[in-house]
Amino acid sequence: MTLDGQIAEIVEALDSGFPPVHTMSGAEARAVIRSRFVAPSNPEEVGDVRDASVHGPAGDVTVRIYRPARMSGPVPTVVYAHGGGFVFCDLDSHDGLCRSFANLIPAVVVSVDYRLAPEHRWPAAAEDVLAVAQWAARNADALGGDAGRIVVGGDSAGGNVAAAAALMARDHGAPPLAAQLLIYPMIAADFGTESYRLFGEGFYNPRPTLQWYWDQYVPSPADREHPYASPLHAELSGVPPTVLLTAGHDPLRDEGIAFGHALEAAGVPTTRRHYDGCIHGFITMPMLDVAHQARAQVCDDLSTILVAGARV
């Protein structure tokens, strides 16, 4: 396995420059990460962007709604959970990715500012995303969306949150989901995999940091067996068709691949995309050509699922 050329040029700087969040409190880590954020001077144009509030299980949840630059008639709605180790990142950190998804699918994208750990532990984040998905289904007409094509998605920790929300939607019978989009998800707290051994140091997301993320969100080892905490442990029949992306130089590679196999074994239509030369987090790095390739690919995969579902 070899790293993508552009990633190879920057991985050492990325790895050495990432703050040691595992030595901090959640609030300290959040402040440090936020201080490093630089908004792009020329964000991708979309049809419309606005913030709104959705009533959630513990109060209002702020969302950011993106409409694609071109749309005719109702389009799918993607309820999106940002990454950030359950602890940090927000609507701004994933603004560029959500703009891209809105135009590429095309879809209304509803980015969710879900409750963060350690102040709010599992399953708080997933409950917030589920509440927003239910709201999106009820308000599809006003959003310009199609109530029959509601998708949940997320990257990294957000992939865990989205997968858990999809399980909750199945278990509660609402809303009916058309698909889920999971990008290198944190899907189980297993730190002994081969990919953790190979890539748990020197590849931008070190093992101590990833373990710390789990300690903030699901501190109890017993709780980590629950499917809403670790969806890899779930009985997966009945979850929606899935687009699953994994990265080859990612400590989370093996759990993501295992989740793909588990979905297929449960009879869930699953499109798996593996980017062997990539590291965790690459899809949110717009300086990388492969990030744009992956965005286009998973959006095309998702569109194919949604079109096929609409014909059934």
Side-chain angles (χ1 to χ4, degrees), residues 8 18 59 89 111 148 295:
F18 194 79
C89 290
S111 183
R295 292 181 188 188

Side-chain angles (χ1 to χ4, degrees), residues 41-159:
S41 56
N42 295 297
E44 181 176 346
E45 291 188 7
V46 293
D48 179 63
V49 181
R50 62 183 176 89
D51 290 356
S53 292
V54 174
H55 182 68
D60 287 345
V61 179
T62 302
V63 299
R64 183 166 294 165
I65 303 165
Y66 303 82
R67 290 166 61 88
R70 296 180 181 85
M71 60 184 292
S72 58
V75 295
T77 300
V78 177
V79 177
Y80 197 80
H82 63 77
F86 308 110
V87 177
F88 45 77
C89 290
D90 51 30
L91 301 180
D92 292 336
S93 66
H94 283 62
D95 181 77
L97 184 64
C98 290
R99 287 171 180 268
S100 181
F101 283 168
N103 285 335
L104 286 169
I105 295 171
V108 173
V109 175
V110 183
S111 183
V112 185
D113 194 20
Y114 56 83
R115 286 172 289 166
L116 297 175
E119 295 86 351
H120 306 283
R121 290 180 166 144
W122 84 285
E127 289 174 341
D128 286 351
V129 169
L130 176 65
V132 173
Q134 293 170 333
W135 171 85
R138 293 193 304 268
N139 293 276
D141 289 345
L143 293 171
D146 177 354
R149 291 185 292 168
I150 304 294
V151 178
V152 292
D155 61 288
S156 191

Side-chain angles (χ1 to χ4, degrees), residues 22-308:
H22 63 282
T23 67
M24 305 176 189
S25 70
E28 289 169 341
R30 207 169 295 136
V32 168
I33 296 298
R34 181 67 188 180
S35 71
R36 295 159 59 97
F37 174 73
V38 178
S41 56
N42 295 297
E44 181 176 346
E45 291 188 7
V46 293
D48 179 63
V49 181
R50 62 183 176 89
D51 290 356
S53 292
V54 174
H55 182 68
D60 287 345
V61 179
T62 302
V63 299
R64 183 166 294 165
I65 303 165
Y66 303 82
R67 290 166 61 88
R70 296 180 181 85
M71 60 184 292
S72 58
V75 295
T77 300
V78 177
V79 177
Y80 197 80
H82 63 77
F86 308 110
V87 177
F88 45 77
C89 290
D90 51 30
L91 301 180
D92 292 336
S93 66
H94 283 62
D95 181 77
L97 184 64
C98 290
R99 287 171 180 268
S100 181
F101 283 168
N103 285 335
L104 286 169
I105 295 171
V108 173
V109 175
V110 183
S111 183
V112 185
D113 194 20
Y114 56 83
R115 286 172 289 166
L116 297 175
E119 295 86 351
H120 306 283
R121 290 180 166 144
W122 84 285
E127 289 174 341
D128 286 351
V129 169
L130 176 65
V132 173
Q134 293 170 333
W135 171 85
R138 293 193 304 268
N139 293 276
D141 289 345
L143 293 171
D146 177 354
R149 291 185 292 168
I150 304 294
V151 178
V152 292
D155 61 288
S156 191
N160 173 297
V161 172
L167 289 166
M168 292 176 178
R170 178 200 65 184
D171 295 345
H172 298 304
L177 296 175
Q180 60 178 345
L181 170 62
L182 308 178
I183 299 170
Y184 35 71
M186 292 179 65
I187 213 71
D190 182 356
F191 312 113
T193 62
E194 179 73 358
S195 57
Y196 260 99
R197 185 185 70 79
L198 291 172
F199 309 115
E201 181 180 355
F203 291 88
Y204 184 50
N205 274 268
R207 175 175 173 164
T209 294
L210 290 161
Q211 290 176 308
W212 180 81
Y213 294 156
W214 278 101
D215 289 341
Q216 307 313 297
Y217 189 54
V218 194
S220 166
D223 287 345
R224 293 176 184 178
E225 298 300 312
H226 195 287
Y228 293 169
S230 298
L232 182 57
H233 298 308
E235 197 288 302
L236 295 170
S237 61
V239 302
T242 303
V243 177
L244 173 65
L245 181 149
T246 51
H249 290 68
D250 181 358
L252 307 186
R253 180 197 67 188
D254 290 355
E255 65 198 65
I257 290 173
F259 194 59
H261 290 320
L263 287 164
E264 291 170 341
V268 178
T270 304
T271 302
R272 293 191 284 150
R273 296 293 176 183
H274 184 70
Y275 286 80
D276 194 56
C278 293
I279 59 174
H280 193 79
F282 81 94
I283 207 167
T284 55
M285 300 177 187
M287 77 290 286
L288 301 175
D289 293 340
V290 70
H292 296 282
Q293 294 164 13
R295 292 181 188 188
Q297 182 67 74
V298 297
C299 287
D300 184 64
D301 291 336
L302 185 59
S303 297
T304 299
I305 289 173
L306 294 170
V307 169

